[in-house]
Amino acid sequence: MKLPEFSTVRASTKHLELWVKMRLDLWPNHSREDHEAEALSFLETPSKTPVFLCLNDLGQVIGFLEGNIRESAEGCHTNRVGYVEGWFVIESERGKGAGGVLMHAFFSWCGEMGITEAASDTWEWNEQSIKAHQALGFSETEKIIHFRKNLLQ
């Protein structure tokens, strides 16, 4: 059996519709308009907020990684951290290496930018994401519990 081959490209406005569709799959609680606006904001600052798309061997977009440069991140020691803001591969392509190809494109970009640490996050219940991060060399730094109180009641 032939293993799939993946490649990455930097996102542009020509990819916007597919990218927004994947964002909706990852973050379904936001509107298409909000996703499109945020995606366009990533494209405005490519030297700070790179977006990589993963293509399969047919040239189809099957995933994305949105990155950022943050001044700090939990567990990091430098003041320029490459942060994974969003990482997604369509369900039918998961577990085949596409996520790793995206992450390595981001790591390479971080190196070009002189960044020596990368960080990311996921939900506590997302075992698949936790395992994928660990497989790529990430280590857990801490857990945070968020609280909310409605002040109108």
Side-chain angles (χ1 to χ4, degrees):
M1 179 173 106
K2 180 183 173 215
L3 292 174
E5 295 183 26
F6 302 109
S7 60
T8 60
V9 296
R10 294 289 292 268
S12 70
T13 54
K14 76 177 185 177
H15 304 109
L16 191 60
E17 186 176 333
L18 287 170
W19 178 18
V20 167
K21 182 185 178 316
M22 289 185 291
R23 286 179 120 257
L24 280 162
D25 288 342
L26 181 58
W27 299 299
N29 295 331
H30 300 279
S31 72
R32 175 174 291 281
E33 294 76 21
D34 287 347
H35 280 298
E36 188 170 312
E38 189 166 12
L40 288 169
S41 74
F42 271 89
L43 295 178
E44 290 174 3
T45 55
S47 64
K48 184 179 185 302
T49 56
V51 177
F52 298 94
L53 302 177
C54 186
L55 309 174
N56 64 14
D57 47 10
L58 300 175
Q60 300 165 317
V61 177
I62 61 164
F64 72 88
L65 186 148
E66 298 172 354
N68 192 3
I69 299 173
R70 291 191 181 185
E71 292 182 11
S72 66
E74 289 81 0
C76 292
H77 306 288
T78 60
N79 64 355
R80 293 186 77 235
V81 177
Y83 203 88
V84 178
E85 301 292 350
W87 183 34
F88 180 82
V89 174
I90 63 173
E91 193 167 345
S92 63
E93 298 295 327
R94 292 179 189 162
K96 300 177 184 177
V101 168
L102 283 164
M103 197 65 78
H104 287 290
F106 180 62
F107 295 160
S108 179
W109 177 85
C110 287
E112 292 168 14
M113 300 300 290
I115 295 170
T116 60
E117 289 183 292
S120 184
D121 60 57
T122 191
W123 295 281
E124 184 177 11
W125 52 262
N126 194 338
E127 286 295 323
Q128 186 177 26
S129 179
I130 292 168
K131 287 177 183 176
H133 279 86
Q134 291 170 338
L136 290 164
F138 283 91
S139 57
E140 187 177 310
T141 60
E142 60 187 66
K143 291 188 185 217
I144 299 172
I145 299 172
H146 297 268
F147 293 93
R148 177 186 178 276
K149 177 176 177 47
N150 184 346
L151 298 176
L152 299 177
Q153 293 182 353

